[in-house]
Amino acid sequence: MARAIVIDTDPGQDDALAILLALSSAADLDLLGVTTVAGNVGVEQTTVNALRICQLAGRSDVPVYKGCPQPILRPLHTAEFVCGPDGLAGMHLDAPRHAARDQHAVAFLIELLRTSLAPVTLCALGPLTNLALAFTQAPEIKAKIDRLVIMGGARDLGNMTAAAEFNFFVDPHAAAAVLRSGVPITLFPLNATYQAVATPARLKGFDEDGKVGRHVLSMLRRERPGGASLGGNDGHPMHDPCVIAYLLWPQLFEGRDCHVDMETAEGTTVGRSTIDWWGRSGQTPNAHVIGTVNADEMFARIAASMRILDERTAKEPKAIS
Ligand code: BDR
Ligand code: CA
């Protein structure tokens, strides 16, 4: 039986590839909904982008719910300097022909988890605002989550500031609440996701003839803006697809259980995640933290998945929208 998942996201090019990967793997992952949050760009645009990505995959039936327009306490910081003005620079996607659902993302998460008979896996690819609010409003829903897989934080240096990774920097209070929630968490910090750089060698398996492959390649081959040059200059780091790849192919990843602490006080270290990799603090681990990614194999499998998605959408013309 396919694993039931929800993707909470702020697309974002790497979010886009993550969503496409989930949609390509319907036999293994049952995507119940996409909830959007402000992050890479504002929430109106991340919502439009989520709709555009589902449409590209011929899956406009996947419900999209618009979430929080700003972090819990801090002013919103966005990342157009990396993602371009619409968040999906390089992809040139059509405008969506479907709208988001009327229900707010937080209300959807609460209702879904309250009523679901089976456990649900949550995939968090952006700032954790929606999830922190859902857990605060309805703590009982946490029992329905079998695992929360998060892209966020950094064991070493940050990418938004010297200390902080973007998603945790944007809403550190939400990250702190989620890390304290007691939900089983797998965390992908930057030290892991910077291993997943889309180098020219890793792009060879993608197929330019298909519609999905063409859009993905156009995004991945886009010249890297100066602000995105951390972690090497030979390609865009695909942070968020690691989350979905982990659900599909856990054998490609290694990590260990650690205590992760969040800095929420304003100052040079706000948004920093202190990951106790060596277990020095003696505090109880609150996350399984990934340290190693078999990125060559991961990209080979993602490329194959994009080819499958293209074959499927070509065979099912009615589903392509
Ligand atoms: C994270 O920040 C965003 O810009 C990316 O989409 C990813 O989720 C990496 O720090
Ligand atoms: Ca993201």
Side-chain angles (χ1 to χ4, degrees), residues 5 11 15 54 58 66 71 87-88 127 161 244 290 297 305-306 310 314:
I5 68 166
D15 304 72
C54 292
K66 183 169 74 176
L88 293 178
T161 67
I244 306 298
I290 301 299
E297 182 62 23
S305 299
M306 294 304 104
D310 263 324

Side-chain angles (χ1 to χ4, degrees), residues 9-10 14-15 40 125-126 167 240:
T9 177
D10 62 336
D14 61 332
D15 304 72
N40 282 318
L125 312 182
N167 290 337
D240 294 338

Side-chain angles (χ1 to χ4, degrees), residues 2-3 5 7 9 12-31 34 50 53-54 56-59 62 91 123 125 149 188 196 206 212-213 216 219-220 238-250 252-253 293-295 297-310 312-313:
R3 183 174 194 157
I5 68 166
I7 299 182
T9 177
Q13 292 110 326
D14 61 332
D15 304 72
L17 185 57
I19 295 168
L20 291 171
L21 180 59
L23 291 174
S24 74
S25 313
D28 297 307
L29 301 177
D30 181 13
L31 181 54
V34 175
I53 296 156
C54 292
L56 171 67
R59 291 297 311 275
V62 173
M91 287 197 90
C123 307
L125 312 182
V149 188
F188 275 87
F206 288 78
V212 175
V216 168
M219 177 260 283
L220 292 177
M238 287 294 102
H239 307 284
D240 294 338
C242 293
V243 167
I244 306 298
Y246 173 75
L247 296 180
L248 293 169
W249 313 301
L252 301 184
F253 305 90
V293 177
N294 180 348
E297 182 62 23
M298 184 183 93
F299 274 94
R301 293 184 187 202
I302 292 176
S305 299
M306 294 304 104
R307 292 198 298 273
I308 289 167
L309 192 52
D310 263 324
R312 193 187 309 146
T313 51

